[in-house]
Amino acid sequence: MGRHRGNGRRYVNMVVRADDLENFRVKGVYSEALVRALNGHDHDPAAPRTLQNPWTRERAQKRADAWNQPREPVRIDGHSHPWISVPNPPPAELQLDGETLHLAHYGTRGAHYSRTPPPVERIPRS
């Protein structure tokens, strides 16, 4: 639910990628129309301003904070892992299931990790 940019009064249903949104915050809902839209089929006309399955403020704040933190997708040895993400910028090493993964490449498609450690740079003796 949101307000369209062209008309700031009416609420409209939108399908938007969460990655395209920013500045998530927790606010109270006082509009009867918004409560009705959020409730959907479960809306009770006898209680027009009552959410049917409300979240606690702490749960909503935790979700908003998580969405506000930039995260990067992870690829491990060439395979994508959509359920794993790392902060931006990614750490040089990542612990996953007791295994240490090493950052091999970081680019526009996310962080690429490898199970093999990076090569050791040899310093010539003079």
Side-chain angles (χ1 to χ4, degrees):
M1 292 301 306
R3 289 194 171 134
H4 195 275
R5 290 175 61 182
N7 183 354
R9 292 184 167 195
R10 294 183 55 211
Y11 288 100
V12 294
N13 288 326
M14 299 180 211
V15 177
V16 181
R17 288 173 22 108
D19 293 344
D20 294 336
L21 301 174
E22 58 186 29
N23 194 18
F24 291 92
R25 57 196 179 278
V26 178
K27 296 175 84 175
V29 177
Y30 300 102
S31 166
E32 185 177 330
L34 183 56
V35 170
R36 185 173 44 250
L38 290 172
N39 284 338
H41 296 293
D42 297 334
H43 184 66
D44 181 12
R49 293 184 181 220
T50 303
L51 282 173
Q52 297 302 320
N53 297 312
W55 284 8
T56 63
R57 182 168 185 82
E58 291 79 20
R59 180 180 177 193
Q61 188 64 52
K62 186 175 180 180
R63 181 67 60 98
D65 291 343
W67 281 337
N68 284 328
Q69 294 296 321
R71 305 289 291 179
E72 296 292 329
V74 169
R75 293 182 65 87
I76 300 172
D77 289 333
H79 300 285
S80 88
H81 295 270
W83 60 89
I84 303 171
S85 62
V86 293
N88 182 1
E93 291 184 344
L94 180 66
Q95 293 291 329
L96 185 64
D97 295 333
E99 186 177 23
T100 302
L101 303 172
H102 307 277
L103 183 64
H105 174 74
Y106 176 58
T108 57
R109 295 189 177 196
H112 296 251
Y113 283 89
S114 173
R115 288 183 169 86
T116 59
V120 178
E121 187 174 332
R122 297 188 186 261
I123 302 173
R125 294 184 186 198
S126 43

